[in-house]
Amino acid sequence: MPAYEDVFPLQQPVRLPPREELVAAVRSAPLAAEFLDGQEDELEAWGEVCRDRLDEALLLEVVRLFVAREPAAGDPPAELVAFGLVRGANPYEATPVGLWMARRLIEELTGQEVPIMGSLAERDAAGLLRGLRSYPEAERDEELAGWLARRDPAGAAKEMAAALTEVSPLSRAVGIELLGFQLGDEGRRALDDLVIVPKVGAVIAARLSRDDRQPATEEIGWVLVDMAAALLEFGGEASEVVESVAAGMEPDEQASTITLLALCDHPATEPVLRVFIDHHPDPGVAAAARKALRRLHGLASARG
């Protein structure tokens, strides 16, 4: 099957029943007796059977149902019914085993690990923030409550604040929002301690519109890249990424701002510049982005 890395949008978390219920559902599938014969891990074995016996179009239909999260019109493919992956007729929907299988396929195709609701409570703060990137608000609050239940408030805030320097731009945005608005006084105190830190402190101030912390000249490009990269990570449109940096400026001002990006060492600088090169409607700004990218490469080579 083809790979879809970097183009498949982040998927919202999925609710799955306990593993023993999934195994029971596999055993009740019409073809289970034909293909299962005393395997130690019947669920994983069933995943391999489905992967080997179903063609690509059918597997992608299971993924499509997962992404849509709603029933599909028409009669279900007989093979998917036989393998216990869909149920119903006109409309039909993925079964819990089908959702489990689709999640597995998405990770195989894209490298994206779709979170299972309730699975983040034992993760460290970095793992929590990575998992929460695609959560709608209600589900995020539910998952966060489970994570906080295992920690004291001050310790949780310190752990999350420490993770902000090491996580991805979108995870960082999630963490800043949680610390600022969900973790009470402990979260706000943790941000106060972190706002003086170079780069990440400037991002905190920008995201929370704090007037008490202005970015240094060398931090401006880093902040712009971090915010644009968060949109890219979420799957935002190119126009949204451009606007996040343009911020209503005229094209000549945008071109001047773009030159700052070549001087920052943010790991996402190159993909952000490529969005401007490929998608900015003003030729002058696109040219400035190309020049900035060449300079970025030159500086990287000079640093060795």
Side-chain angles (χ1 to χ4, degrees):
M1 296 176 71
Y4 297 94
E5 190 173 3
D6 296 330
V7 298
F8 198 77
L10 286 174
Q11 294 299 298
Q12 294 184 9
V14 60
R15 292 186 187 272
L16 292 178
R19 192 174 183 87
E20 58 269 21
E21 291 185 25
L22 290 171
V23 171
V26 164
R27 290 171 180 164
S28 67
L31 293 179
E34 181 177 344
F35 293 108
L36 289 181
D37 184 20
Q39 285 91 342
E40 184 174 345
D41 190 332
E42 291 177 311
L43 187 59
E44 290 297 328
W46 194 242
E48 289 300 317
V49 169
C50 293
R51 184 68 175 78
D52 293 340
R53 297 284 175 169
L54 295 171
D55 64 31
E56 180 178 311
L58 290 171
L59 292 173
L60 289 178
E61 172 62 10
V62 177
V63 171
R64 189 190 68 78
L65 288 170
F66 183 98
V67 172
R69 305 292 175 98
E70 62 183 19
D75 294 324
E79 298 94 328
L80 295 184
V81 174
F83 281 92
L85 302 180
V86 303
R87 63 189 172 196
N90 199 17
Y92 62 95
E93 63 183 356
T95 64
V97 175
L99 294 174
W100 174 87
M101 185 66 196
R103 179 178 180 270
R104 171 180 167 154
L105 289 168
I106 288 170
E107 184 169 5
E108 175 187 321
L109 290 167
T110 72
Q112 181 183 154
E113 182 184 358
V114 180
I116 299 172
M117 282 296 303
S119 67
L120 302 181
E122 297 183 2
R123 302 276 184 96
D124 61 15
L128 173 74
L129 296 180
R130 177 175 175 79
L132 290 180
R133 292 176 303 164
S134 63
Y135 274 59
E137 185 175 355
E139 286 81 359
R140 187 188 68 181
D141 291 347
E142 178 183 340
E143 194 76 68
L144 178 64
W147 189 81
L148 291 173
R150 298 168 179 260
R151 294 162 174 82
D152 70 274
K158 289 180 180 178
E159 182 183 350
M160 190 176 293
L164 294 186
T165 61
E166 63 183 77
V167 295
S168 70
L170 182 55
S171 299
R172 185 161 32 250
V174 171
I176 292 170
E177 182 178 351
L178 294 180
L179 286 165
F181 303 104
Q182 296 285 92
L183 269 66
D185 291 339
E186 291 86 357
R188 289 185 284 274
R189 281 194 290 269
L191 287 176
D192 286 341
D193 292 339
L194 197 59
V195 77
I196 63 173
V197 175
K199 299 174 184 175
V200 68
V203 173
I204 291 168
R207 287 205 172 274
L208 297 180
S209 301
R210 293 181 57 154
D211 296 329
D212 60 339
R213 165 61 156 98
Q214 296 300 314
T217 302
E218 62 272 17
E219 292 178 316
I220 295 174
W222 211 92
V223 171
L224 292 173
V225 169
D226 201 69
M227 291 188 163
L231 287 171
L232 280 177
E233 193 177 343
F234 188 71
E237 297 290 335
S239 60
E240 295 178 290
V241 177
V242 168
E243 182 55 34
S244 73
V245 176
M249 293 185 290
E250 294 298 321
D252 58 337
E253 295 177 286
Q254 295 178 44
S256 297
T257 301
I258 288 294
T259 62
L260 295 173
L261 304 191
L263 304 177
C264 79
D265 59 354
H266 196 294
T269 302
E270 180 166 341
V272 169
L273 285 173
R274 290 197 179 278
V275 170
F276 277 79
I277 292 169
D278 295 337
H279 299 285
H280 200 288
D282 187 278
V285 178
R290 284 192 293 272
K291 183 177 180 179
L293 184 58
R294 288 194 298 270
R295 187 174 186 186
L296 181 71
H297 290 162
L299 291 172
S301 298
R303 296 187 189 108

